[in-house]
Amino acid sequence: DAKKLVRSPSGLRMVPEHRAARSPFGLDEPPWVPDKECPRCMQCDTKFDFITRKHHCRRCGKCFCDKCCSKKVPLPRMCFVDPVRQCAECALVSQKETEFYDKQLKVLMNGATFFVTLGTSDKSELMVCRLSNNQRYLVLDGDSHYEIEIVQISTVQILTEGFTPGGGNTRAIGMILQYKVPGSEEVMQMKFTAGEDFSCNKKLSAAWLAAMHKATKLLYESRDQ
């Protein structure tokens, strides 16, 4: 998908030429709180003057003094080219998301192998499941082929089991995914199960499911924006 470089008051962003091609995990830039509505820092209440300048957090758009908005942190969900100024609270959230973009997103794109059951069928098919490079589709390849648009996914339930008889620690062993069929109100369901015969792939499957769990949280946040 073609991209273009755009400049906003917040900084340079590399965004898709067409909005329909944007990542489903992305966030829009927030409107800035107008200067005239912000005589004091919205964190520490310090009054702004010629010495104490005001700064806007690029993630929330609120107004802060330099002390409360000094960190420059990557913000890939808004497609910023360089790290941008953020308040302490937003910087912490963005730093946590960096792990998803640096590690878990690659895990999803590399894919993992699952037994996939469609709807109420009693038959399952061994398929490689991965996220498309543009992050917009969940691609399933086996004897059959499916492409599920990420924005059509309505619910994701991660299935777990305990390591020990006491059921202390748990690990992900599968998931149930529901999605809407484009152009209709019909909801389809798929069940993904890590194969017991593929012990070498169990760790990979668990990592893929954990990454999918994180991706789902970001997807819901994007919808709630």
Side-chain angles (χ1 to χ4, degrees):
D1 295 315
K3 294 186 176 183
K4 61 182 179 181
L5 191 65
V6 298
R7 181 183 293 277
S8 73
S10 297
L12 286 173
R13 300 169 65 221
M14 184 65 75
V15 301
E17 285 193 355
H18 304 287
R19 185 174 176 82
R22 63 173 283 182
S23 166
F25 307 116
L27 295 174
D28 290 328
E29 281 189 85
W32 282 11
V33 174
D35 287 349
K36 62 181 180 180
E37 296 179 12
C38 189
R40 294 177 178 272
C41 174
M42 300 180 76
Q43 178 64 41
C44 70
D45 206 38
T46 296
K47 186 176 181 179
F48 296 123
D49 53 30
F50 289 109
I51 297 176
T52 305
R53 297 179 56 199
K54 62 184 64 175
H55 301 279
H56 286 86
C57 172
R58 272 49 174 172
R59 187 181 180 106
C60 68
K62 294 180 181 179
C63 203
F64 303 92
C65 67
D66 183 70
K67 183 179 179 181
C68 294
C69 194
S70 60
K71 294 186 177 181
K72 289 192 174 182
V73 180
L75 187 46
R77 293 187 75 183
M78 292 184 189
C79 303
F80 284 109
V81 175
D82 301 308
V84 291
R85 188 184 292 270
Q86 298 177 56
C87 67
E89 184 178 348
C90 286
L92 186 61
V93 174
S94 295
Q95 286 169 341
K96 290 181 180 178
E97 290 173 353
T98 298
E99 180 183 358
F100 174 76
Y101 279 89
D102 287 349
K103 298 178 182 179
Q104 293 166 322
L105 197 57
K106 295 175 183 177
V107 170
L108 290 174
M109 290 179 177
N110 287 337
T113 302
F114 296 94
F115 284 106
V116 179
T117 306
L118 182 63
T120 57
S121 173
D122 56 357
K123 295 182 179 180
S124 59
E125 181 179 340
L126 189 63
M127 308 189 83
V128 175
C129 308
R130 63 179 178 84
L131 186 68
S132 63
N133 290 336
N134 61 14
Q135 305 171 20
R136 290 162 49 208
Y137 296 91
L138 187 62
V139 181
L140 288 69
D141 276 311
D143 290 336
S144 305
H145 177 83
Y146 299 97
E147 292 188 8
I148 302 171
E149 196 171 2
I150 294 295
V151 295
Q152 298 295 337
I153 294 176
S154 52
T155 61
V156 175
Q157 177 188 353
I158 303 298
L159 307 176
T160 61
E161 70 174 9
F163 274 121
T164 62
N169 295 323
T170 60
R171 66 184 176 107
I173 59 169
M175 72 175 179
I176 295 176
L177 180 149
Q178 292 183 327
Y179 64 97
K180 293 182 180 179
V181 178
S184 75
E185 293 299 316
E186 184 181 5
V187 176
M188 299 291 290
Q189 177 173 296
M190 283 185 171
K191 182 178 181 180
F192 298 68
T193 308
E196 291 298 322
D197 296 334
F198 297 89
S199 57
C200 61
N201 289 329
K202 278 186 178 181
K203 187 175 181 180
L204 177 62
S205 299
W208 194 91
L209 290 167
M212 188 64 187
H213 182 59
K214 178 64 176 178
T216 303
K217 287 185 176 181
L218 298 186
L219 181 62
Y220 291 157
E221 287 174 11
S222 297
R223 290 173 177 172
D224 293 340
Q225 186 187 49

